[in-house]
Amino acid sequence: MINVSKIRKGIVIDHIKAGDGIKLYRALNLEKIQGVVVLMAGIPSEKMGKKDLIKIETDFDLNTDLVGLVAPSSTVNMIEDGRVSKKEKICLPKKIKGVLTCINPACVTNHQDVDKLFELESEDPVRYRCCYCDQVMRSDRG
Ligand code: CTP
Ligand code: ZN
């Protein structure tokens, strides 16, 4: 199998559901990063059958809410000095700020400079509720 070397410093997003790696790559705008980024897709996995994985070898301010929205149940590993310094299992965010846009044209968040804030309404299907106008909507990021 193709082998990608370990990194000294950066972020490894592991256990991404097969097929979601490219969605996460796009959602995080990784094409704009100065530094090495690797997207591996379709890696054989005992637990998952197949999985995707992203390695980012640079300082990057990762929005874990966005990761949770696009790739829930992935694992974020922070790498420092060639070792995993922090491992975080990611789930669907209960609250999400500044990522989703309310679909209600009359909502105040679409007219004034206020924080866009949503709360998880249901997990299956994934739906969020706007904290300002109570509009319930699908997340279009998943
Ligand atoms: N990794 C890396 N560079 C490092 C350390 C780890 O690219 N310097 C990668 C590993 O290749 C792996 C992920 O980060 O894909 C997590 O590393 P590790 O916790 O060592 O692996 P596992 O124990 O298999 O992780 P888990 O228990 O979460 O499945
Ligand atoms: Zn709203």
Side-chain angles (χ1 to χ4, degrees), residues 102 104 107-109 118 130 132-135:
C102 188
N104 171 10
C107 180
V108 64
T109 59
F118 288 81
C130 176
Y132 290 85
C133 73
D134 283 337
Q135 172 78 50

Side-chain angles (χ1 to χ4, degrees), residues 93-108:
K94 298 275 182 260
K95 285 189 178 171
I96 188 154
K97 193 168 147 184
V99 171
L100 295 172
T101 298
C102 188
I103 54 165
N104 171 10
C107 180
V108 64

Side-chain angles (χ1 to χ4, degrees), residues 16-17 19 21 23-24 28 35 38 48 59 63 68 82 88 96 100-101 112 121 126 130 133-134:
I16 304 169
K17 188 169 74 116
K23 293 183 197 167
L24 187 57
L28 294 171
V38 178
M48 304 177 68
D59 280 325
N63 184 336
E88 190 183 348
I96 188 154
L100 295 172
T101 298
Q112 286 172 29
E121 173 84 10
V126 177
C130 176
C133 73
D134 283 337

Side-chain angles (χ1 to χ4, degrees), residues 9-90:
K9 185 175 169 50
I11 303 169
V12 177
I13 310 173
D14 195 3
H15 308 125
I16 304 169
K17 188 169 74 116
D20 284 353
I22 184 69
K23 293 183 197 167
L24 187 57
Y25 182 97
R26 294 203 175 113
L28 294 171
N29 284 320
L30 294 180
E31 73 280 5
K32 300 225 174 88
I33 273 192
Q34 302 287 333
V36 177
V37 177
V38 178
L39 164 62
M40 286 180 81
I43 304 168
S45 153
E46 269 182 31
K47 283 181 221 150
M48 304 177 68
K50 276 183 177 186
K51 68 172 184 180
D52 294 353
L53 181 149
I54 294 175
K55 294 196 186 197
I56 304 168
E57 195 181 27
T58 185
D59 280 325
F60 182 67
D61 187 13
L62 186 70
N63 184 336
T64 47
D65 281 351
L66 193 45
V67 178
L69 206 52
V70 180
S73 69
S74 59
T75 308
V76 169
N77 299 278
M78 307 303 290
I79 314 291
E80 277 170 56
D81 296 322
R83 294 172 184 280
V84 178
S85 62
K86 193 177 156 214
K87 185 184 285 284
E88 190 183 348
K89 189 85 192 146
I90 302 292

